[in-house]
């Protein structure tokens, strides 16, 4: 592969990555469903504006907390155990992909 061809591929990859990142950010902020993103330690890293509307919690009130703050008391412990198992399985699968 020539140097010019390699540079084109690098520029294309960077442009695609930038576009993808921009698109994800735009979608995250435009959807009407509340979304929160956690780290592997189950601490909230970010939320979208719909999350604030749906839950009444502001961004700076939940960052670093566990999603457990959203427990309504309407579900039993097995519901939350199953939810976390699904989330962890999905997270592990995404890490492998």
């Amino acid at each position: 592969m020539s140097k010019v061809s390699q540079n084109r591929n690098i520029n294309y990859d960077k442009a695609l990555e930038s576009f993808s990142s921009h698109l994800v950010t735009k979608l995250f902020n435009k959807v009407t469903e509340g979304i929160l993103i956690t780290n592997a330690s189950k601490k909230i890293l970010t939320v979208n504006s719909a999350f604030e509307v749906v839950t009444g919690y502001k961004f700076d009130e939940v960052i670093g907390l566990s999603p457990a703050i959203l427990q309504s008391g309407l579900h039993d412990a097995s519901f939350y155990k199953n939810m976390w198992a699904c989330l962890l399985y999905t997270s592990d699968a995404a890490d492998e992909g």
Side-chain angles (χ1 to χ4, degrees):
M1 183 180 293
S2 73
K3 184 75 168 166
V4 171
S5 183
Q6 286 176 331
N7 286 340
R8 282 188 189 144
N9 285 342
I10 291 169
N11 290 339
Y12 175 78
D13 290 345
K14 286 181 181 178
L16 184 59
E17 183 179 316
S18 176
F19 173 77
S20 297
S21 177
H22 176 72
L23 183 59
V24 168
T25 300
K26 196 171 194 177
L27 288 170
F28 181 77
N29 290 317
K30 294 289 183 185
V31 296
T32 57
E33 290 82 12
I35 300 173
L36 65 84
I37 297 175
T38 67
N39 61 15
S41 300
K42 302 177 191 169
K43 300 298 180 195
I44 299 172
L45 298 176
T46 192
V47 300
N48 67 350
S49 57
F51 174 92
E52 293 179 325
V53 172
V54 170
T55 67
Y57 286 105
K58 298 295 179 200
F59 173 87
D60 56 349
E61 293 177 299
V62 297
I63 300 307
L65 300 179
S66 166
I69 63 165
L70 300 174
Q71 290 182 353
S72 64
L74 299 176
H75 301 287
D76 62 13
S78 66
F79 169 86
Y80 292 103
K81 183 177 179 182
N82 184 49
M83 179 191 74
W84 279 109
C86 290
L87 289 171
L88 292 172
Y89 173 78
T90 303
S91 174
D92 289 345
D95 289 343
E96 293 174 9

